[in-house]
Amino acid sequence: MKHIHIDTLKDKLLVILALFMLVYTGILVYCQSIIGVSYWDIFVYLQDALLFANINIGSQLSVPPVLSLLTSIPFRLGFISETSMFIVSGILFFLLIIGVYELFNEKYSPKVSFVGSILLSMLSLIVTWAVSGSNDAPALTFSVWAIYFTIQGLNKDFKYYYLAFILFVIAFFTRFTEGFILLVMLCYLALNYDKFHAQCKENNIIKLIAFMVITLVVIMAVYLISQGSIPFLSQFVEVSNSNQVSSVNVGYELNPFYYIQHLPEILTCWSASSQYSMMLTTAVNSPTFLSYVMLLCAMLGVISFIFDILRRDESIDRWNLKFGIIIILSVFTMISYTHISYIFTELLFIGIMLLSYKFFPNNVDKLDIVMFIWMGIFLIMHSYHPVKVDRYIMPTLIPLLYFMIKGIQDTTETLKIKNKKTALIILTIILLILIPINANYISSMTHENPHSHEEKQAAQWLQNYDENLDNYNISSDRGVSFSWYLKKYTYSTIPRVLEANNDTLENKLNTIHAKYYIDSTSKLQSINGYHVIYDNNKTTYKLRIYERD
């Protein structure tokens, strides 16, 4: 029997981190089981999980399947509940923080990486979505490990590239936009081109490319056979084309600086809003002073990074010319943003970073560049798109924390502080301040969603009202949630969307022959041809059920 030897400080801290995350994640899952499901997309993932467990109540297989596939495992075992998805999300969240710890260790000391990874787990935006059933944090988990194994593939064994590619594919099919992490992986290899090129013996590279091609062909074949299309391609078209959305979309926001302006709220909040429409967004909350401290440190890290790149080095030929080229391209990149295509801006941004390293190879750490590219790619993409939801920006928080740590370390070195533990002490103080803030934030959001409660009550009432409910068509402005609660497909019919498309609710209901319509959010006064059979008589979370005359 083999024994696991935990000799190094890094390994010891990894064990401590794992034990801490088991307890912490358990607390988050418990709290989420009280909150329940509030967000539209999560109900879709639950429905797809039922489909993968051979229980079809309607599905949308055009959405990323990985989280639903994983959740279908406990569903198949008979544990059909929202909590099953929360637990699956919790397992992936646990792996996310472990992955961040391993990734940070590529640059920082084990103690600093330990504190940094715990800091990430307690950021308000992360806590809000960590185990909610949303696919943002799970996708980030696979992305972090994909980058980590790309690094290991370069530094240790070529075989790790296979694992890195598989993890990238899983990240992509957990959340399609997470596919942009491939650019980060490729940039790391480009920065280490000589070392990578030396690895690429003809046999190695042919096998790897063949593995990639076969994997992609199999996946595309599965989609074509099962659905007759490849839906994830349209996702990229939708992201790159702002004409695909309108003000009808939830989260419609044209301000390109939305995420930057709301970074303080995204990082730390003392408490969460109690309003249903706002409780899953941190942007409406009040940030704590700690957010500004963390942002200041991150800004110092980014400034230090930029100064490192552009630091004058007389040993570099034509330094002034190269410096000028970088500045001109940077200005052009800023001008191109929102005026051309975000893809064009992304490519310019990546080009500048790679060119900076080529011009000034001795000035900056390669991992610094990779982290800056990671942060920039996702910030540019999501800031460009008209629909802005706080959770979309989650991938930028890892490099943001990375630069926060860099800012603290570089500043203490610049000030020539002799105590080498100063940076660790500052990070620990930040963590100690964050712990009670995080505890209060979790406490403030841990209550059953009142809107979800009213929906569950209405669904139960309708089931008791009509024992033959399975024989009739039902529609609602929150069709996905009632499909889950009733365990029966419910058409999603939203009056404001119909109106925007020059259609009427009555016409739509007649088309689908709906006997019942559940008004959960639209607050209708009446529907022609229908009468009210249920009214919860609430003001804030008013809900009515209509029956055809």
Side-chain angles (χ1 to χ4, degrees), residues 178-241:
E178 201 66 30
F180 282 86
I181 203 66
L182 180 63
L183 295 176
V184 182
M185 298 162 66
L186 293 176
C187 285
Y188 182 78
L189 296 179
L191 290 168
N192 294 276
Y193 175 77
D194 291 339
K195 192 171 183 179
F196 178 65
H197 185 263
Q199 286 183 313
C200 292
K201 298 175 183 178
E202 185 175 347
N203 191 41
N204 279 345
I205 198 66
I206 290 176
K207 286 182 179 178
L208 180 60
I209 292 174
F211 175 76
M212 292 177 175
V213 171
I214 292 171
T215 301
L216 294 176
V217 168
V218 169
I219 291 171
M220 295 175 76
V222 169
Y223 268 102
L224 286 172
I225 293 171
S226 62
Q227 298 188 54
S229 65
I230 305 174
F232 51 84
L233 295 179
S234 64
Q235 292 276 337
F236 284 102
V237 174
E238 190 274 332
V239 169
S240 60
N241 186 359

Side-chain angles (χ1 to χ4, degrees), residues 301-437:
V302 170
I303 292 170
S304 174
F305 165 74
I306 294 173
F307 280 2
D308 284 344
I309 292 178
L310 302 179
R311 185 176 68 251
R312 190 174 187 87
D313 188 343
E314 298 297 339
S315 65
I316 297 176
D317 293 335
R318 298 180 180 180
W319 187 92
N320 289 333
L321 175 62
K322 293 176 179 178
F323 176 80
I325 291 173
I326 296 298
I327 295 300
I328 291 171
L329 288 175
S330 298
V331 171
F332 188 63
T333 300
M334 288 185 281
I335 294 173
S336 72
Y337 180 59
T338 73
H339 289 86
I340 306 178
S341 164
Y342 88 94
I343 291 290
F344 183 76
T345 305
E346 296 270 31
L347 293 175
L348 266 178
F349 168 70
I350 293 171
I352 290 170
M353 289 296 100
L354 297 179
L355 199 60
S356 296
Y357 181 75
K358 183 175 178 61
F359 283 170
F360 317 115
N362 300 322
N363 286 13
V364 67
D365 186 282
K366 294 174 185 176
L367 194 56
D368 290 355
I369 295 181
V370 168
M371 285 290 179
F372 195 71
I373 290 173
W374 187 358
M375 183 165 60
I377 283 174
F378 284 91
L379 183 61
I380 291 169
M381 175 178 63
H382 290 302
S383 295
Y384 171 87
H385 198 265
V387 174
K388 296 178 177 65
V389 180
D390 294 358
R391 61 189 174 88
Y392 293 172
I393 208 65
M394 196 181 294
T396 66
L397 296 183
I398 294 173
L400 185 72
L401 271 181
Y402 176 95
F403 281 106
M404 184 193 81
I405 297 171
K406 176 178 172 59
I408 294 172
Q409 287 194 340
D410 288 0
T411 301
T412 56
E413 290 176 7
T414 302
L415 296 175
K416 297 181 179 179
I417 298 175
K418 294 181 180 180
N419 189 344
K420 294 182 179 180
K421 295 183 179 180
T422 301
L424 178 60
I425 292 171
I426 293 172
L427 283 169
T428 303
I429 292 172
I430 291 175
L431 177 59
L432 291 174
I433 296 173
L434 180 57
I435 288 173
I437 293 174

Side-chain angles (χ1 to χ4, degrees), residues 65-231:
V66 169
L67 186 59
S68 296
L69 278 168
L70 293 174
T71 305
S72 70
I73 296 172
F75 279 13
R76 285 177 176 273
L77 297 174
F79 301 102
I80 300 176
S81 72
E82 299 163 1
T83 303
S84 292
M85 177 165 276
F86 302 153
I87 291 172
V88 170
S89 299
I91 293 170
L92 295 175
F93 177 60
F94 170 88
L95 294 174
L96 169 62
I97 303 305
I98 298 299
V100 170
Y101 171 74
E102 293 287 355
L103 191 59
F104 279 5
N105 266 287
E106 295 296 318
K107 166 79 172 183
Y108 304 119
S109 71
K111 290 181 180 178
V112 167
S113 300
F114 175 80
V115 175
S117 57
I118 294 179
L119 280 171
L120 177 72
S121 74
M122 294 187 178
L123 297 183
S124 294
L125 181 65
I126 297 291
V127 170
T128 304
W129 293 99
V131 298
S132 67
S134 167
N135 60 15
D136 300 84
L140 190 55
T141 299
F142 297 116
S143 291
V144 166
W145 283 102
I147 292 175
Y148 175 74
F149 282 112
T150 301
I151 296 172
Q152 300 310 305
L154 186 75
N155 297 328
K156 292 185 178 180
D157 193 322
F158 191 88
K159 293 178 180 178
Y160 283 120
Y161 289 130
Y162 290 89
L163 188 52
F165 177 72
I166 287 296
L167 288 165
F168 153 71
V169 171
I170 296 173
F172 179 81
F173 285 100
T174 305
R175 180 171 179 78
F176 292 143
T177 52
E178 201 66 30
F180 282 86
I181 203 66
L182 180 63
L183 295 176
V184 182
M185 298 162 66
L186 293 176
C187 285
Y188 182 78
L189 296 179
L191 290 168
N192 294 276
Y193 175 77
D194 291 339
K195 192 171 183 179
F196 178 65
H197 185 263
Q199 286 183 313
C200 292
K201 298 175 183 178
E202 185 175 347
N203 191 41
N204 279 345
I205 198 66
I206 290 176
K207 286 182 179 178
L208 180 60
I209 292 174
F211 175 76
M212 292 177 175
V213 171
I214 292 171
T215 301
L216 294 176
V217 168
V218 169
I219 291 171
M220 295 175 76
V222 169
Y223 268 102
L224 286 172
I225 293 171
S226 62
Q227 298 188 54
S229 65
I230 305 174

Side-chain angles (χ1 to χ4, degrees), residues 398-512:
I398 294 173
L400 185 72
L401 271 181
Y402 176 95
F403 281 106
M404 184 193 81
I405 297 171
K406 176 178 172 59
I408 294 172
Q409 287 194 340
D410 288 0
T411 301
T412 56
E413 290 176 7
T414 302
L415 296 175
K416 297 181 179 179
I417 298 175
K418 294 181 180 180
N419 189 344
K420 294 182 179 180
K421 295 183 179 180
T422 301
L424 178 60
I425 292 171
I426 293 172
L427 283 169
T428 303
I429 292 172
I430 291 175
L431 177 59
L432 291 174
I433 296 173
L434 180 57
I435 288 173
I437 293 174
N438 181 48
N440 193 77
Y441 183 79
I442 293 173
S443 175
S444 70
M445 62 185 288
T446 305
H447 54 79
E448 184 180 15
N449 186 311
H451 190 190
S452 297
H453 174 77
E454 295 301 327
E455 289 184 331
K456 290 176 184 177
Q457 293 289 102
Q460 185 62 55
W461 185 92
L462 185 58
Q463 287 175 322
N464 294 335
Y465 174 79
D466 191 339
E467 294 181 354
N468 298 313
L469 198 62
D470 288 342
N471 299 325
Y472 301 110
N473 287 343
I474 306 170
S475 181
S476 173
D477 52 0
R478 291 253 297 168
V480 291
S481 63
F482 284 101
S483 291
W484 171 251
Y485 294 135
L486 295 170
K487 296 298 184 289
K488 169 184 168 56
Y489 181 70
T490 303
Y491 290 88
S492 291
T493 312
I494 307 173
R496 61 183 174 83
V497 175
L498 293 171
E499 184 179 343
N501 292 311
N502 298 316
D503 200 353
T504 65
L505 176 62
E506 288 82 0
N507 181 56
K508 189 67 175 179
L509 295 179
N510 286 330
T511 301
I512 61 178

